Amino acid sequence: MLVLGIESSCDETAAAVVDDSGLVHSEIVRSQVALHAPYGGVVPELASRDHMKGITLVIRQALARASVDFGGVQGIAVTSQPGLSGALLVGVQAAKGIAWARDLPIVAVDHLVGHLLAIFLRRPTDGSTAVPSYPFVALLASGGHTAIYRVDGPALSQIRELGATRDDAAGEAFDKVAKAIGLGYPGGPIVDRLAAQGDAARFPIPAPMARRDSLEFSFSGIKSFVARYVAEHGKPQTPAEVADLCAGFQRVVVQSLVTKTIRAALSEGVTTVVLSGGVAANRELRRAAADACARVGLSLAVPPLASCTDNAAMIAYAGALRLARGERDDPSFRTATHTALLRVTRKGRGPRAA
Ligand code: KG4
Ligand code: ZN
């Protein structure tokens, strides 16, 4: 079964044609990074307008590259939540329009479920990468979300949050720290690159939420540490100082992500850990997770970079699994800014759950 996937929840306009085995027949990602870069973050209204500009072209390109037309796909999958309202609406209205005009079944996909299932995508150019089997524990770290899940299967009811960030997402912290230091946007890939040359021990940033039993994260304190440093000392002047600050920051974020993910996997008794979301592109995270998993006998599955950052292939695949089972959504479904997954972590300060 071939499915057209559409993604417009944040700052990528994307479309892909994927089958229900996870094979990617085509994928197009039109990034808005250059549009938002001058502002150091995503400007929602600009994002919506640019999705409007690009959506038709992106869908046409994805179909053309897969050598199919609308008659050649058996269903449409579109991100309906979570994301920016105006941005989501563009993809959802395009998808509903196509489904109505072509009499195709349509399913609404939760963006986070897409990220969690991205590990199952295969591209014709991939080598023989082993795919994990259920159940697994997944770290999802992106610009908007950071949480650990137990994944027993692809359905919403089979995915359980074990712990999430109480404040900033990990990617958001990367972006804000890069902005504070005066680096570009998005900050994650830049910090990743600069940290490789830095000395992480020069700025010993305290580890957040280090309580052994907690699977929750907090990244706002680390971000504030860097902001305070810049307020007191000015922006780092030398390349070495920039690199050391990036390395110190990245080290605590990565250690926090890895330590808690491993703890979750061990306490859930699963054998496999999966990384997902844009921050899973981080090289130190990939390396540290591999080392930590090897030490305790867990196997680690890491998607290729194109599957980590936002894309429509993961949405098409998540939707294809439902469509292949004969499921479909009533085309009156709505968008939402929050995820459909059950959340257990309380945001903000205040008493923590035991
Ligand atoms: O999953 P994603 O593409 O979009 C969201 O759903 O948010 O994630 C984007 C986030 C951004 O915050 C970006 O800075 C971060 O992922 N990111 C990285 C790296 N590449 C992207 N963070 C750290 N290291 C990277 N190499
Ligand atoms: Zn995402």
Side-chain angles (χ1 to χ4, degrees), residues 111 115 142 310:
H111 182 83
H115 273 303
S142 74
D310 282 352

Side-chain angles (χ1 to χ4, degrees), residues 223 235 289 293 311 319 328:
K223 172 195 69 187
K235 284 184 184 161
C293 283
N311 65 85
R328 59 191 59 206

Side-chain angles (χ1 to χ4, degrees), residues 10-12 42 111-112 115 140-147 165 167-176 185-188 219 276-280 308-310:
C10 190
D11 61 346
E12 266 92 23
V42 177
H111 182 83
L112 303 191
H115 273 303
L140 197 178
S142 74
H145 299 87
T146 294
T165 179
D167 41 57
D168 292 352
E172 185 181 359
F174 269 96
D175 296 337
K176 287 179 177 168
Y185 170 84
F219 297 110
S276 62
V279 180
C308 292
T309 47
D310 282 352

Side-chain angles (χ1 to χ4, degrees), residues 23-270:
L23 185 66
V24 180
H25 293 246
S26 70
E27 58 184 326
I28 304 288
V29 180
R30 182 180 188 266
S31 168
Q32 301 181 352
V33 160
L35 178 70
H36 301 292
Y39 308 96
V42 177
V43 183
E45 183 57 27
L46 293 182
S48 316
R49 291 184 202 186
D50 199 65
H51 285 308
M52 294 275 287
K53 240 190 251 167
I55 191 85
T56 307
L57 182 66
V58 162
I59 292 170
R60 282 191 192 290
Q61 286 175 338
L63 290 170
R65 233 177 248 187
S67 304
V68 291
D69 55 18
F70 288 125
V73 296
Q74 283 81 53
I76 315 268
V78 61
T79 306
S80 61
Q81 63 190 113
L84 303 166
S85 309
L88 285 164
L89 268 176
V90 177
V92 165
Q93 289 308 118
K96 286 182 178 180
I98 297 164
W100 181 77
R102 300 288 167 157
D103 199 19
L104 286 166
I106 184 170
V107 286
V109 174
D110 190 282
H111 182 83
L112 303 191
V113 175
H115 273 303
L116 291 170
L117 301 185
I119 188 67
F120 295 108
L121 293 174
R122 288 174 301 115
R123 296 177 177 80
T125 49
D126 289 347
S128 55
T129 42
V131 291
S133 46
Y134 299 111
F136 56 80
V137 158
L139 169 69
L140 197 178
S142 74
H145 299 87
T146 294
I148 302 171
Y149 297 92
R150 179 190 168 102
V151 183
D152 284 287
L156 278 173
S157 61
Q158 294 174 297
I159 301 173
R160 188 158 56 85
E161 183 194 296
L162 303 172
T165 179
R166 295 174 61 87
D167 41 57
D168 292 352
E172 185 181 359
F174 269 96
D175 296 337
K176 287 179 177 168
V177 160
K179 191 173 180 180
I181 307 178
L183 308 172
Y185 170 84
I190 304 171
V191 171
D192 184 346
R193 184 164 42 80
L194 295 172
Q197 272 92 49
D199 171 13
R202 175 160 166 199
F203 298 100
I205 304 176
M209 307 279 287
R211 288 184 346 146
R212 274 209 63 79
D213 56 340
S214 168
L215 293 176
E216 295 175 355
F217 300 105
S218 167
F219 297 110
S220 71
I222 315 177
K223 172 195 69 187
S224 305
F225 178 98
V226 177
R228 233 179 1 257
Y229 177 85
V230 172
E232 283 168 21
H233 304 271
K235 284 184 184 161
Q237 294 301 317
T238 64
E241 199 184 351
V242 171
D244 294 347
L245 201 50
C246 287
F249 160 76
Q250 181 173 279
R251 178 64 48 88
V252 296
V253 172
V254 164
Q255 274 175 0
S256 172
L257 292 172
V258 170
T259 308
K260 299 198 175 194
T261 303
I262 300 286
R263 190 185 302 156
L266 293 176
S267 77
E268 289 298 314
V270 300

